[in-house]
Amino acid sequence: MTMAIQLARVDNRLLHGQVATVWTKTVRPNRILVVSDKVAHDKLRKMLIMQAAPPEVKANVITVAKMVQIYRDARFDNFRPLILTETLPEMAELVAQGIDLKPTGVNVGNLAYTVHKTMLTPSVAADAADVQAAAALKAAGVTVYTQTVPGDRQQDFLALAQKKGLTQ
C-alpha cells in the first residue's frame, strides 16, 4: 500500500480560502501537504499557511525531499493528502523523485501573471519553464489540466499552451 493522494494542485497562493473550503470538501483529504523548499524555510509564511487550514484537516509545510521521504515510508500510508506546490517545476520534481501522480493528475489552479508569462486562462499564466515541467509530467504519464474550482471543466494545460504558441 502507498499514500493515497487525493489531489495534486499547483497554486502559487498555496493554501487559501478556495482550497481550504471548496477543494477540501470535494476531495476529502485527511491531510494538506504544502510542498515548497522556499516556504518550508519561511517561518511567517509557514505559520500563515497552517492557520489557513480548515479545522478538520491538519496542514503541514514540508520540503520536496521530506515529501519524497514520507511518501516512501509505510508509516504514512494512511495519509490521504491534498498536495499543494507553488510551481509546476516543483510538482514535476516530485514525480521525477518517484511520487506517483498518475491516478490524480496535476491540477493547475492558479499561476499568477508576471512579466514573460502568457495568460492561458483567467487564472493561469505560464512560461517556458511551466510548459517544460508540464511536458515532463506528461512524459511520465501524468495528466496536467487547469481547473480553478471543482465545478469548472478541466482543460488540458499543454493544449492551452500550444494554442498560445508556448510549445514547439
Side-chain angles (χ1 to χ4, degrees), residues 102-125:
K102 286 194 259 337
T104 58
V106 170
N107 165 292
V108 182
N110 194 76
L111 288 174
Y113 176 79
T114 56
V115 180
H116 307 302
K117 287 205 177 214
T118 302
M119 294 305 296
L120 302 184
T121 72
S123 61
V124 175

Side-chain angles (χ1 to χ4, degrees), residues 82-110:
L82 184 163
I83 295 174
L84 290 165
T85 65
E86 220 170 357
T87 68
L88 260 165
E90 286 169 320
M91 200 61 84
E93 180 59 27
L94 291 176
V95 170
Q97 296 283 332
I99 293 178
D100 183 9
L101 297 179
K102 286 194 259 337
T104 58
V106 170
N107 165 292
V108 182
N110 194 76

Side-chain angles (χ1 to χ4, degrees), residues 52-69:
E56 68 278 8
V57 185
K58 188 169 170 39
N60 298 93
V61 180
I62 58 178
T63 62
V64 169
K66 185 71 171 176
M67 179 65 216
V68 171
Q69 182 186 353

Side-chain angles (χ1 to χ4, degrees), residues 3-147:
M3 187 183 289
I5 296 165
Q6 304 300 298
L7 177 69
R9 180 176 169 96
V10 177
D11 192 323
N12 66 288
R13 301 164 299 177
L14 293 170
L15 182 56
H16 55 90
Q18 199 177 70
V19 171
T21 56
V22 183
W23 282 105
T24 303
K25 280 186 178 73
T26 303
V27 301
R28 302 204 169 289
N30 64 5
R31 186 69 59 138
I32 296 172
L33 298 176
V34 174
V35 183
S36 168
D37 292 348
K38 196 164 63 176
V39 180
H41 298 102
D42 181 331
K43 283 190 175 97
L44 178 62
R45 279 186 80 192
K46 195 172 174 175
M47 183 186 71
L48 292 170
I49 285 167
M50 288 163 73
Q51 288 175 343
E56 68 278 8
V57 185
K58 188 169 170 39
N60 298 93
V61 180
I62 58 178
T63 62
V64 169
K66 185 71 171 176
M67 179 65 216
V68 171
Q69 182 186 353
I70 69 167
Y71 182 78
R72 292 180 180 152
D73 189 328
R75 291 176 298 176
F76 296 94
D77 283 355
N78 64 334
F79 275 26
R80 292 187 346 271
L82 184 163
I83 295 174
L84 290 165
T85 65
E86 220 170 357
T87 68
L88 260 165
E90 286 169 320
M91 200 61 84
E93 180 59 27
L94 291 176
V95 170
Q97 296 283 332
I99 293 178
D100 183 9
L101 297 179
K102 286 194 259 337
T104 58
V106 170
N107 165 292
V108 182
N110 194 76
L111 288 174
Y113 176 79
T114 56
V115 180
H116 307 302
K117 287 205 177 214
T118 302
M119 294 305 296
L120 302 184
T121 72
S123 61
V124 175
D127 61 16
D130 296 319
V131 172
Q132 196 174 7
L137 285 162
K138 185 178 179 183
V142 178
T143 306
V144 182
Y145 62 93
T146 65
Q147 186 182 29

